[in-house]
């Protein structure tokens, strides 16, 4: 039986720290030879494909800071705080606790057995998770630990850098007034990596103008992106066919997907532009 | 202080693993990253749990861990420590489990390789939702691949299990 990659696991040492400081010190000590791990559902698929498993795994299972959920007031705004260790299935199942866009995203990730193990923190930290566009569309923040202190950072800033901080929790504004959409293009209907994932949100004021527009995209091989120029073009606008055509063109220019063995960047741009424009038109009428 | 004195470490090659499987307790020594599917099949001879894709895509290795469906190829020994595991062998007692019976009656399998994982997924679904819609059934089985049946017989079997439950 072929078990590519798994032999590298035999000599792996697993650490079970109980504090952020301990976890961070272990990572500092072992550097590139160590990796933080929670559910590990994605990491294990990488190792099975032949990527070397680090010789030290630092389990985050005992981090109390990464567990549970609750409300937090930050600068007068109420946020839902989700511990990074919350599973994707917990997000999917708790419609009464979490923003519907978060629930919708969780519903579209993997399959039940994987969602029972995979965490929201892991989905973000891997850099390509399908939760990221939804969280970007909701203006989510991350609480991070960098070895010295705990601080908050907008997810939209986090994705721009190769941030190595430990994700402790995700803060989602409790604003349920915005209209939103979430769509994922895959090679089959369920449980398959995303070709592209599109999420957006906006308010529609009494004059039928769009405000607080957020558009975010990603994919299995495409880094998450906010479409700032397209958002700007929609901000304060009243939708007309001419304006939507202009938005379509700008999305097509602004979105930079990758070409992979199955889909070209041109195709992904086409789908993204079509989806965003049609979803905004649908939700704004 | 040395790092190993601060954090509990599961040093290779072995850790003490304590598991409850189908109600019976097991203690064994395994590498902390050994996969649950390998432990079940090779160390404990629970070969009803099948091994196939090994990357969590096919569901052939699905078992329940602490009452939740998991792919045992994506669970490492240290993650299963002190957990309660139910495998396909744990579904039936002296008689077949009702889910096993409806799969037989409705032709819910052909080669049978995906069937243990499929049944564990159905069991997990019906434990939390006794009257799932067809969409919910499809969603619950979305991580279990069958290359023989075209899923028609499987869906029929699940619907019959639901119908049988409702008649009780």
């Amino acid at each position: 039986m072929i078990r590519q990659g798994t032999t590298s696991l035999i000599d792996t040492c697993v650490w079970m720290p109980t504090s952020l400081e301990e976890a961070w010190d272990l990572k500092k000590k072992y550097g590139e030879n160590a990796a933080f791990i929670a559910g590990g559902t994605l990491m294990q698929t990488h190792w099975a494909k032949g990527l070397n498993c680090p010789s030290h795994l630092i389990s985050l299972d005992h981090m109390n800071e990464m567990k549970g959920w609750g409300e937090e007031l930050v600068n007068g705004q109420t946020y839902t705080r989700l511990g990074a260790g919350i599973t994707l299935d917990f997000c999917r199942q708790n419609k009464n606790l979490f923003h519907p866009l978060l629930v919708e995203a969780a519903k579209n990730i993997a399959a039940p057995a994987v969602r029972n193990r995979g965490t929201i923190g892991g989905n973000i930290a891997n850099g390509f998770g399908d939760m990221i566009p939804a969280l970007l569309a909701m203006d989510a923040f991350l609480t991070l630990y960098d070895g010295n202190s705990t601080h908050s950072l907008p997810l939209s800033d986090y994705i721009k850098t190769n941030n190595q901080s430990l994700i402790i929790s995700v803060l989602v504004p409790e604003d349920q007034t915005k209209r939103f959409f979430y769509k994922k293009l895959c090679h089959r209907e369920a449980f398959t990596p995303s070709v592209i994932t599109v999420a957006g949100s906006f308010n529609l004021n009494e004059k039928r103008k769009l405000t607080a527009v957020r558009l975010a995209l990603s994919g299995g091989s495409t880094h998450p992106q906010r479409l700032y120029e397209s958002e700007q073009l929609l901000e304060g606008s009243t939708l007309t066919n001419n304006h939507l055509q202009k938005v379509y063109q700008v999305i097509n220019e602004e979105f930079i997907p990758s070409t992979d063995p199955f889909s070209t960047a041109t195709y992904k741009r086409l789908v993204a532009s079509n989806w965003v424009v049609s979803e905004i038109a649908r939700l704004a009428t | 202080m040395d790092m190993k004195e601060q954090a509990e470490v599961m040093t290779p090659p072995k850790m003490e693993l304590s598991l409850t499987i189908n109600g019976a307790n097991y203690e064994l020594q395994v590498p902390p990253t050994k996969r649950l599917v390998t432990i079940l099949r090779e160390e404990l001879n629970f070969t009803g749990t099948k091994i196939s894709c090994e990357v969590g895509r096919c569901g052939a290795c699905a078992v329940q861990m602490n009452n939740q469906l998991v792919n045992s190829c994506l669970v490492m020994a240290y993650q299963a420590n002190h957990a309660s595991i139910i495998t396909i062998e744990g579904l039936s007692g002296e008689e077949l489990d009702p889910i096993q019976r409806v799969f037989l009656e409705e032709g819910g399998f052909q080669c049978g390789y995906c069937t243990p994982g499929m049944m564990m997924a159905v069991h997990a679904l019906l434990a939390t939702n006794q009257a799932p819609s067809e969409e919910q059934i499809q969603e619950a089985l979305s991580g279990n691949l069958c290359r023989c049946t075209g899923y028609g017989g499987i869906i029929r079997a699940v619907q019959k299990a639901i119908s049988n439950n409702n008649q009780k």
Side-chain angles (χ1 to χ4, degrees):
Chain A
M1 186 177 293
I2 297 168
R3 295 203 180 161
Q4 190 183 16
T6 52
T7 49
S8 66
L9 281 169
I10 300 298
D11 295 324
T12 298
C13 192
V14 180
W15 297 85
M16 307 290 285
T18 53
S19 71
L20 294 172
E21 292 79 8
E22 241 181 315
W24 190 265
D25 287 346
L26 284 162
K27 181 73 176 96
K28 202 170 157 188
K29 180 173 181 181
Y30 295 111
E32 294 292 307
N33 295 320
F36 295 118
I37 183 166
T41 48
L42 185 70
M43 293 170 80
Q44 289 180 83
T45 62
H46 289 163
W47 306 333
K49 284 177 190 165
L51 291 180
N52 275 341
C53 172
S55 48
H56 295 268
L57 290 177
I58 305 165
S59 167
L60 303 174
D61 290 352
H62 294 171
M63 297 288 133
N64 285 333
E65 295 90 338
M66 297 184 186
K67 292 177 181 168
W69 62 274
E71 277 189 359
E72 258 182 38
L73 196 63
V74 183
N75 298 329
Q77 161 83 54
T78 309
Y79 289 82
T80 304
R81 184 190 64 79
L82 297 98
I86 279 186
T87 63
L88 297 170
D89 200 63
F90 189 81
C91 297
R92 183 188 71 90
Q93 287 206 26
N94 288 283
K95 294 176 188 168
N96 53 336
L97 299 181
F98 303 131
H99 193 290
L101 180 48
L102 190 80
V103 174
E104 181 64 22
K107 207 168 98 181
N108 280 280
I109 298 171
V114 172
R115 287 197 295 260
N116 282 334
R117 299 286 308 154
T119 63
I120 188 168
N123 194 269
I124 297 166
N126 84 60
F128 292 90
D130 289 326
M131 197 59 101
I132 297 174
L135 292 168
L136 286 170
M138 288 185 282
D139 281 332
F141 278 72
L142 301 181
T143 312
L144 302 167
Y145 180 72
D146 63 5
N148 295 312
S149 63
T150 300
H151 62 278
S152 293
L153 186 72
L155 177 61
S156 52
D157 290 342
Y158 174 87
I159 61 166
K160 288 177 190 163
T161 60
N162 182 25
N163 197 315
Q164 296 298 305
S165 299
L166 203 46
I167 301 172
I168 302 170
S169 60
V170 183
L171 298 172
V172 180
E174 282 191 2
D175 175 8
Q176 304 234 354
T177 60
K178 289 180 86 175
R179 299 171 191 224
F180 66 85
F181 59 90
Y182 181 92
K183 291 182 80 74
K184 181 173 166 180
L185 177 71
C186 303
H187 292 296
R188 68 184 187 101
E189 196 171 334
F191 196 21
T192 175
S194 154
V195 177
I196 59 161
T197 303
V198 176
S201 69
F202 60 89
N203 283 319
L204 196 64
N205 69 18
E206 66 281 0
K207 292 180 180 168
R208 311 293 296 169
K209 289 186 174 178
L210 278 71
T211 61
V213 182
R214 298 289 180 273
L215 301 173
L217 297 99
S218 74
S221 61
T222 296
H223 280 286
Q225 295 159 38
R226 271 268 305 270
L227 301 184
Y228 292 101
E229 205 181 321
S230 308
E231 289 173 4
Q232 201 58 44
L233 191 61
L234 283 161
E235 192 70 31
S237 69
T238 309
L239 293 186
T240 61
N241 281 343
N242 282 345
H243 193 61
L244 283 172
Q245 278 176 11
K246 175 75 178 156
V247 171
Y248 181 94
Q249 283 168 4
V250 172
I251 294 169
N252 215 322
E253 288 161 15
E254 189 179 13
F255 179 39
I256 306 171
S258 65
T259 289
D260 59 49
F262 297 101
S263 315
T264 63
T266 306
Y267 170 68
K268 292 175 185 178
R269 276 197 296 271
L270 181 75
V271 174
S273 310
N274 279 333
W275 265 354
V276 172
V277 167
S278 61
E279 285 300 296
I280 287 174
R282 178 178 67 84
L283 291 168
T285 52
Chain B
M1 186 186 289
D2 182 71
M3 196 66 70
K4 290 194 179 185
E5 290 175 344
Q6 291 178 26
E8 183 189 354
V9 61
M10 295 177 178
T11 313
K14 301 272 170 100
M15 65 172 277
E16 297 283 342
L17 176 65
S18 174
L19 284 173
T20 303
I21 303 174
N22 303 330
N25 296 325
Y26 294 86
E27 307 277 341
L28 58 164
Q29 289 204 328
V30 293
T33 48
K34 191 160 189 172
R35 295 174 308 169
L36 180 59
V37 65
T38 315
I39 295 167
L40 290 171
R41 289 177 57 85
E42 294 178 7
E43 305 265 343
L44 301 170
N45 209 29
F46 285 105
T47 53
T49 300
K50 300 305 179 198
I51 189 161
S52 181
C53 76
E54 305 192 62
V55 289
R57 287 286 180 269
C58 73
C61 68
V63 298
Q64 286 176 33
M65 184 164 87
N66 297 333
N67 298 317
Q68 288 195 312
L69 190 73
V70 298
N71 294 312
S72 58
C73 69
L74 292 184
V75 175
M76 290 181 272
Y78 81 92
Q79 296 174 312
N81 202 12
H82 304 300
S84 174
I85 309 291
I86 307 286
T87 68
I88 187 70
E89 289 90 346
L91 277 197
S92 58
E94 291 191 359
E95 291 184 3
L96 288 177
D97 183 87
I99 294 170
Q100 293 173 307
R101 199 177 318 116
V102 291
F103 266 70
L104 280 167
E105 290 168 357
E106 294 299 326
F109 62 93
Q110 287 182 27
C111 86
Y113 200 80
C114 72
T115 311
M118 199 70 78
M119 287 182 176
M120 296 312 295
V122 174
H123 193 266
L125 168 68
L126 298 184
T128 55
N129 182 357
Q130 295 196 336
S133 62
E134 183 162 339
E135 189 187 350
Q136 287 171 321
I137 297 168
Q138 287 177 2
E139 161 59 27
L141 298 180
S142 61
N144 295 76
L145 300 183
C146 174
R147 284 290 163 262
C148 304
T149 64
Y151 302 96
I154 293 167
I155 302 291
R156 265 200 321 275
V158 182
Q159 286 169 334
K160 187 164 186 181
I162 297 162
S163 160
N164 289 348
N165 277 341
N166 291 341
Q167 286 167 15
K168 281 181 186 170

